[in-house]
Amino acid sequence: MTQPQPTPLSHTFAPSGTLRASINLGNPILANKDATSGEPVGVSVDLAREFARRLGVGVELVVFEKAAASVDALKNEKADIGFFAIDPARSEGLLFTAPYVLIEGSYLVPDASALTDNAQVDAPGHRISVGAGSAYDLFLTRELKAADIVRLQGAGPALAALRAGEVEVAAGIRQMLEGEALRASGVRVLPGRFMVIQQAMGTPASRGAQAQALLASFVEEMKASGFVADALKRHRIEGAGVAPAA
């Protein structure tokens, strides 16, 4: 495949000559480490490489273990593009595209819990563990009226807190919670979802409206062409779907 020549907006996106892409390993639907090489792989990595190719520049993957740190890197201009859930709490300093992938947010509870429905979770005395700064943390912070949120440093500690009996509910990405339920007995995922997480691409607001428009156009093309669907299939991702056209 021929490498395109740098475009007029290449310098806007990659002033150093290399596109720095912020990759969040805290969301296994979008990125993981390859079991053999240890290198980041996934849908967001594929999109980053393809966008850099179209800009005619190299790519550097700036890797983080959780979404909040990945967002901060972009806001502080330590990265040029990133892959995040759209949320009003993240809008300051960032420009987003429309979503390219939709993911379900769900609840995990002990097998012995009396909870059977998502609507029952928001009640006095219920503690819900979340990965601090995650999309579902931000959403639940706004939406919950009676339950308490326990913010922990990532999805792993949030799941461990449920198994340790420190909380009554753990919130997270449905696929991750289903994997936890399969990993060891004692917990179950409540039916359905409490939110749909809209995963989009973003860039620092300082890059301007033209840059946002180019990134948005790229995302729409990647959805329409089947690139995103193919990436989900190639990386054997379940529990996520391609977002509709904007």
Side-chain angles (χ1 to χ4, degrees), residues 107-113 115 121 162 168-170 186-190:
Y107 292 126
L108 189 72
V109 299
D111 280 340
S113 172
L115 296 172
V121 171
L162 179 73
E168 286 68 43
V169 182
V187 295
R188 57 184 167 86
V189 181
L190 291 184

Side-chain angles (χ1 to χ4, degrees), residues 35-196:
T36 302
S37 68
E39 293 298 311
V41 294
V43 179
S44 57
V45 175
D46 292 350
L47 286 169
R49 293 192 189 283
E50 178 61 15
F51 188 60
R53 188 190 72 81
R54 291 177 179 229
L55 289 176
V57 300
V59 63
E60 175 191 351
L61 304 179
V62 186
V63 179
F64 298 93
E65 297 293 334
K66 53 185 181 177
S70 187
V71 171
D72 287 344
L74 207 63
K75 288 187 174 184
N76 295 326
E77 306 222 19
K78 294 180 180 178
D80 305 304
I81 62 168
F83 301 83
F84 316 114
I86 298 172
D87 189 276
R90 293 175 174 166
S91 61
E92 185 178 353
L94 297 180
L95 298 173
F96 283 101
T97 67
Y100 60 91
V101 161
L102 301 179
I103 302 170
E104 294 183 337
S106 297
Y107 292 126
L108 189 72
V109 299
D111 280 340
S113 172
L115 296 172
T116 58
D117 185 83
N118 291 321
Q120 299 169 344
V121 171
D122 189 14
H126 288 168
R127 297 163 296 178
I128 306 171
S129 60
V130 301
S134 63
Y136 42 93
D137 174 16
L138 300 176
F139 177 85
L140 293 173
T141 297
R142 290 192 302 271
E143 298 297 322
L144 293 180
K145 307 301 181 187
D148 294 321
I149 298 176
V150 179
R151 296 175 180 84
L152 299 168
Q153 294 304 305
L159 298 178
L162 179 73
R163 288 194 179 273
E166 297 167 0
V167 297
E168 286 68 43
V169 182
I173 296 167
R174 184 170 188 85
Q175 183 199 41
M176 182 181 295
L177 301 186
E178 289 175 339
E180 178 66 16
L182 288 172
R183 184 186 67 79
S185 61
V187 295
R188 57 184 167 86
V189 181
L190 291 184
R193 66 198 187 198
F194 65 82
M195 71 175 297
V196 174

